PDB file of all heavy atoms in Angstrom:
ATOM      1  N   ALA A  89     -65.085 -10.970 -58.576  1.00  0.00           N
ATOM      2  CA  ALA A  89     -64.408  -9.614 -58.465  1.00  0.00           C
ATOM      3  C   ALA A  89     -63.242  -9.734 -59.196  1.00  0.00           C
ATOM      4  O   ALA A  89     -62.942  -8.718 -59.914  1.00  0.00           O
ATOM      5  CB  ALA A  89     -64.232  -9.434 -56.963  1.00  0.00           C
ATOM      6  N   ILE A  90     -62.407 -10.857 -59.140  1.00  0.00           N
ATOM      7  CA  ILE A  90     -61.154 -10.935 -59.834  1.00  0.00           C
ATOM      8  C   ILE A  90     -61.512 -10.879 -61.523  1.00  0.00           C
ATOM      9  O   ILE A  90     -60.840 -10.037 -62.105  1.00  0.00           O
ATOM     10  CB  ILE A  90     -60.484 -12.312 -59.719  1.00  0.00           C
ATOM     11  CG1 ILE A  90     -59.920 -12.321 -58.229  1.00  0.00           C
ATOM     12  CG2 ILE A  90     -59.476 -12.560 -60.713  1.00  0.00           C
ATOM     13  CD1 ILE A  90     -59.419 -13.613 -57.809  1.00  0.00           C
ATOM     14  N   MET A  91     -62.606 -11.421 -61.851  1.00  0.00           N
ATOM     15  CA  MET A  91     -62.982 -11.352 -63.316  1.00  0.00           C
ATOM     16  C   MET A  91     -63.367  -9.918 -63.697  1.00  0.00           C
ATOM     17  O   MET A  91     -62.953  -9.494 -64.757  1.00  0.00           O
ATOM     18  CB  MET A  91     -64.095 -12.364 -63.728  1.00  0.00           C
ATOM     19  CG  MET A  91     -64.357 -12.549 -65.189  1.00  0.00           C
ATOM     20  SD  MET A  91     -65.680 -13.585 -65.429  1.00  0.00           S
ATOM     21  CE  MET A  91     -65.274 -14.025 -67.156  1.00  0.00           C
ATOM     22  N   ALA A  92     -64.195  -9.374 -62.870  1.00  0.00           N
ATOM     23  CA  ALA A  92     -64.645  -8.001 -63.141  1.00  0.00           C
ATOM     24  C   ALA A  92     -63.388  -7.082 -63.319  1.00  0.00           C
ATOM     25  O   ALA A  92     -63.380  -6.191 -64.122  1.00  0.00           O
ATOM     26  CB  ALA A  92     -65.562  -7.527 -61.945  1.00  0.00           C
ATOM     27  N   ALA A  93     -62.418  -7.290 -62.389  1.00  0.00           N
ATOM     28  CA  ALA A  93     -61.215  -6.465 -62.534  1.00  0.00           C
ATOM     29  C   ALA A  93     -60.511  -6.717 -63.814  1.00  0.00           C
ATOM     30  O   ALA A  93     -60.000  -5.659 -64.426  1.00  0.00           O
ATOM     31  CB  ALA A  93     -60.215  -6.767 -61.279  1.00  0.00           C
ATOM     32  N   LYS A  94     -60.549  -7.886 -64.212  1.00  0.00           N
ATOM     33  CA  LYS A  94     -59.740  -8.242 -65.457  1.00  0.00           C
ATOM     34  C   LYS A  94     -60.482  -7.594 -66.715  1.00  0.00           C
ATOM     35  O   LYS A  94     -59.859  -7.079 -67.649  1.00  0.00           O
ATOM     36  CB  LYS A  94     -59.738  -9.727 -65.601  1.00  0.00           C
ATOM     37  CG  LYS A  94     -58.837 -10.259 -66.622  1.00  0.00           C
ATOM     38  CD  LYS A  94     -58.746 -11.850 -66.503  1.00  0.00           C
ATOM     39  CE  LYS A  94     -57.981 -12.341 -67.772  1.00  0.00           C
ATOM     40  NZ  LYS A  94     -58.198 -13.803 -67.726  1.00  0.00           N
ATOM     41  N   ILE A  95     -61.815  -7.811 -66.781  1.00  0.00           N
ATOM     42  CA  ILE A  95     -62.491  -7.324 -67.978  1.00  0.00           C
ATOM     43  C   ILE A  95     -63.020  -5.936 -67.884  1.00  0.00           C
ATOM     44  O   ILE A  95     -63.770  -5.351 -68.736  1.00  0.00           O
ATOM     45  CB  ILE A  95     -63.653  -8.281 -68.302  1.00  0.00           C
ATOM     46  CG1 ILE A  95     -64.753  -8.295 -67.210  1.00  0.00           C
ATOM     47  CG2 ILE A  95     -63.177  -9.706 -68.491  1.00  0.00           C
ATOM     48  CD1 ILE A  95     -66.094  -8.898 -67.508  1.00  0.00           C
ATOM     49  N   LYS A  96     -62.879  -5.317 -66.682  1.00  0.00           N
ATOM     50  CA  LYS A  96     -63.433  -3.953 -66.416  1.00  0.00           C
ATOM     51  C   LYS A  96     -64.976  -4.002 -66.437  1.00  0.00           C
ATOM     52  O   LYS A  96     -65.729  -3.247 -67.146  1.00  0.00           O
ATOM     53  CB  LYS A  96     -62.800  -2.862 -67.380  1.00  0.00           C
ATOM     54  CG  LYS A  96     -61.440  -2.784 -67.283  1.00  0.00           C
ATOM     55  CD  LYS A  96     -60.834  -2.327 -65.910  1.00  0.00           C
ATOM     56  CE  LYS A  96     -59.366  -2.452 -65.728  1.00  0.00           C
ATOM     57  NZ  LYS A  96     -58.843  -3.879 -65.240  1.00  0.00           N
ATOM     58  N   GLY A  97     -65.439  -4.988 -65.714  1.00  0.00           N
ATOM     59  CA  GLY A  97     -66.993  -5.164 -65.738  1.00  0.00           C
ATOM     60  C   GLY A  97     -67.515  -4.944 -64.329  1.00  0.00           C
ATOM     61  O   GLY A  97     -66.946  -4.308 -63.488  1.00  0.00           O
ATOM     62  N   PHE A  98     -68.711  -5.523 -64.077  1.00  0.00           N
ATOM     63  CA  PHE A  98     -69.515  -5.464 -62.948  1.00  0.00           C
ATOM     64  C   PHE A  98     -69.815  -6.774 -62.379  1.00  0.00           C
ATOM     65  O   PHE A  98     -70.399  -7.604 -63.023  1.00  0.00           O
ATOM     66  CB  PHE A  98     -70.809  -4.633 -63.143  1.00  0.00           C
ATOM     67  CG  PHE A  98     -71.589  -4.199 -61.941  1.00  0.00           C
ATOM     68  CD1 PHE A  98     -71.567  -2.903 -61.507  1.00  0.00           C
ATOM     69  CD2 PHE A  98     -72.144  -5.160 -61.039  1.00  0.00           C
ATOM     70  CE1 PHE A  98     -72.346  -2.642 -60.293  1.00  0.00           C
ATOM     71  CE2 PHE A  98     -72.820  -4.954 -59.845  1.00  0.00           C
ATOM     72  CZ  PHE A  98     -72.765  -3.596 -59.546  1.00  0.00           C
ATOM     73  N   SER A  99     -69.262  -7.097 -61.126  1.00  0.00           N
ATOM     74  CA  SER A  99     -69.576  -8.303 -60.569  1.00  0.00           C
ATOM     75  C   SER A  99     -70.809  -8.318 -59.761  1.00  0.00           C
ATOM     76  O   SER A  99     -70.972  -7.649 -58.749  1.00  0.00           O
ATOM     77  CB  SER A  99     -68.265  -8.858 -59.601  1.00  0.00           C
ATOM     78  OG  SER A  99     -68.775 -10.065 -59.143  1.00  0.00           O
ATOM     79  N   LEU A 100     -71.815  -9.115 -60.251  1.00  0.00           N
ATOM     80  CA  LEU A 100     -73.151  -9.149 -59.614  1.00  0.00           C
ATOM     81  C   LEU A 100     -73.269 -10.543 -58.880  1.00  0.00           C
ATOM     82  O   LEU A 100     -73.775 -11.453 -59.462  1.00  0.00           O
ATOM     83  CB  LEU A 100     -74.223  -8.905 -60.633  1.00  0.00           C
ATOM     84  CG  LEU A 100     -75.636  -8.975 -60.177  1.00  0.00           C
ATOM     85  CD1 LEU A 100     -75.994  -7.647 -59.339  1.00  0.00           C
ATOM     86  CD2 LEU A 100     -76.652  -8.962 -61.241  1.00  0.00           C
ATOM     87  N   LEU A 101     -72.594 -10.674 -57.793  1.00  0.00           N
ATOM     88  CA  LEU A 101     -72.523 -11.867 -56.984  1.00  0.00           C
ATOM     89  C   LEU A 101     -72.704 -11.696 -55.555  1.00  0.00           C
ATOM     90  O   LEU A 101     -72.543 -10.517 -55.150  1.00  0.00           O
ATOM     91  CB  LEU A 101     -71.249 -12.751 -57.358  1.00  0.00           C
ATOM     92  CG  LEU A 101     -71.098 -13.194 -58.770  1.00  0.00           C
ATOM     93  CD1 LEU A 101     -69.681 -13.643 -59.027  1.00  0.00           C
ATOM     94  CD2 LEU A 101     -72.100 -14.351 -59.065  1.00  0.00           C
ATOM     95  N   ARG A 102     -73.160 -12.659 -54.821  1.00  0.00           N
ATOM     96  CA  ARG A 102     -73.206 -12.655 -53.356  1.00  0.00           C
ATOM     97  C   ARG A 102     -72.310 -13.780 -52.850  1.00  0.00           C
ATOM     98  O   ARG A 102     -72.293 -14.702 -53.487  1.00  0.00           O
ATOM     99  CB  ARG A 102     -74.578 -12.543 -52.850  1.00  0.00           C
ATOM    100  CG  ARG A 102     -75.449 -13.674 -53.370  1.00  0.00           C
ATOM    101  CD  ARG A 102     -76.871 -13.535 -53.056  1.00  0.00           C
ATOM    102  NE  ARG A 102     -77.188 -13.832 -51.628  1.00  0.00           N
ATOM    103  CZ  ARG A 102     -77.592 -14.963 -51.258  1.00  0.00           C
ATOM    104  NH1 ARG A 102     -77.708 -16.011 -51.970  1.00  0.00           N
ATOM    105  NH2 ARG A 102     -77.924 -15.175 -49.891  1.00  0.00           N
ATOM    106  N   PRO A 103     -71.952 -13.821 -51.539  1.00  0.00           N
ATOM    107  CA  PRO A 103     -72.040 -12.796 -50.590  1.00  0.00           C
ATOM    108  C   PRO A 103     -71.138 -11.566 -50.816  1.00  0.00           C
ATOM    109  O   PRO A 103     -70.250 -11.644 -51.695  1.00  0.00           O
ATOM    110  CB  PRO A 103     -71.497 -13.480 -49.313  1.00  0.00           C
ATOM    111  CG  PRO A 103     -70.524 -14.511 -49.825  1.00  0.00           C
ATOM    112  CD  PRO A 103     -71.257 -14.938 -51.115  1.00  0.00           C
ATOM    113  N   PRO A 104     -71.610 -10.424 -50.136  1.00  0.00           N
ATOM    114  CA  PRO A 104     -70.752  -9.254 -50.377  1.00  0.00           C
ATOM    115  C   PRO A 104     -69.356  -9.404 -49.487  1.00  0.00           C
ATOM    116  O   PRO A 104     -69.300 -10.408 -48.949  1.00  0.00           O
ATOM    117  CB  PRO A 104     -71.692  -8.137 -49.795  1.00  0.00           C
ATOM    118  CG  PRO A 104     -72.567  -8.854 -48.740  1.00  0.00           C
ATOM    119  CD  PRO A 104     -72.846 -10.254 -49.441  1.00  0.00           C
ATOM    120  N   GLY A 105     -68.625  -8.282 -49.497  1.00  0.00           N
ATOM    121  CA  GLY A 105     -67.373  -8.599 -48.970  1.00  0.00           C
ATOM    122  C   GLY A 105     -66.741  -7.458 -48.009  1.00  0.00           C
ATOM    123  O   GLY A 105     -65.809  -7.655 -47.160  1.00  0.00           O
ATOM    124  N   HIS A 106     -67.179  -6.209 -48.015  1.00  0.00           N
ATOM    125  CA  HIS A 106     -66.397  -5.036 -47.588  1.00  0.00           C
ATOM    126  C   HIS A 106     -66.265  -4.960 -46.054  1.00  0.00           C
ATOM    127  O   HIS A 106     -65.462  -4.190 -45.566  1.00  0.00           O
ATOM    128  CB  HIS A 106     -66.813  -3.699 -48.171  1.00  0.00           C
ATOM    129  CG  HIS A 106     -68.119  -3.136 -47.747  1.00  0.00           C
ATOM    130  ND1 HIS A 106     -68.261  -1.831 -47.809  1.00  0.00           N
ATOM    131  CD2 HIS A 106     -69.122  -3.732 -47.185  1.00  0.00           C
ATOM    132  CE1 HIS A 106     -69.485  -1.590 -47.309  1.00  0.00           C
ATOM    133  NE2 HIS A 106     -69.993  -2.704 -46.950  1.00  0.00           N
ATOM    134  N   HIS A 107     -67.013  -5.780 -45.425  1.00  0.00           N
ATOM    135  CA  HIS A 107     -66.978  -5.800 -43.887  1.00  0.00           C
ATOM    136  C   HIS A 107     -65.890  -6.839 -43.418  1.00  0.00           C
ATOM    137  O   HIS A 107     -65.552  -6.956 -42.183  1.00  0.00           O
ATOM    138  CB  HIS A 107     -68.229  -6.118 -43.207  1.00  0.00           C
ATOM    139  CG  HIS A 107     -69.137  -4.956 -43.411  1.00  0.00           C
ATOM    140  ND1 HIS A 107     -68.961  -3.565 -43.009  1.00  0.00           N
ATOM    141  CD2 HIS A 107     -70.483  -4.925 -43.952  1.00  0.00           C
ATOM    142  CE1 HIS A 107     -70.026  -2.955 -43.453  1.00  0.00           C
ATOM    143  NE2 HIS A 107     -71.070  -3.703 -43.933  1.00  0.00           N
ATOM    144  N   ALA A 108     -65.488  -7.694 -44.327  1.00  0.00           N
ATOM    145  CA  ALA A 108     -64.501  -8.766 -43.886  1.00  0.00           C
ATOM    146  C   ALA A 108     -63.121  -8.332 -43.946  1.00  0.00           C
ATOM    147  O   ALA A 108     -62.545  -7.917 -44.962  1.00  0.00           O
ATOM    148  CB  ALA A 108     -64.673 -10.035 -44.865  1.00  0.00           C
ATOM    149  N   GLY A 109     -62.449  -8.397 -42.732  1.00  0.00           N
ATOM    150  CA  GLY A 109     -61.076  -8.034 -42.578  1.00  0.00           C
ATOM    151  C   GLY A 109     -60.228  -9.200 -42.794  1.00  0.00           C
ATOM    152  O   GLY A 109     -60.680 -10.355 -43.109  1.00  0.00           O
TER     153      GLY A 109
END
Side-chain angles (χ1 to χ4, degrees):
I90 290 172
M91 188 180 200
K94 194 173 167 191
I95 63 160
K96 302 298 169 269
F98 189 110
S99 178
L100 182 68
L101 291 165
R102 57 190 283 269
H106 75 155
H107 296 305

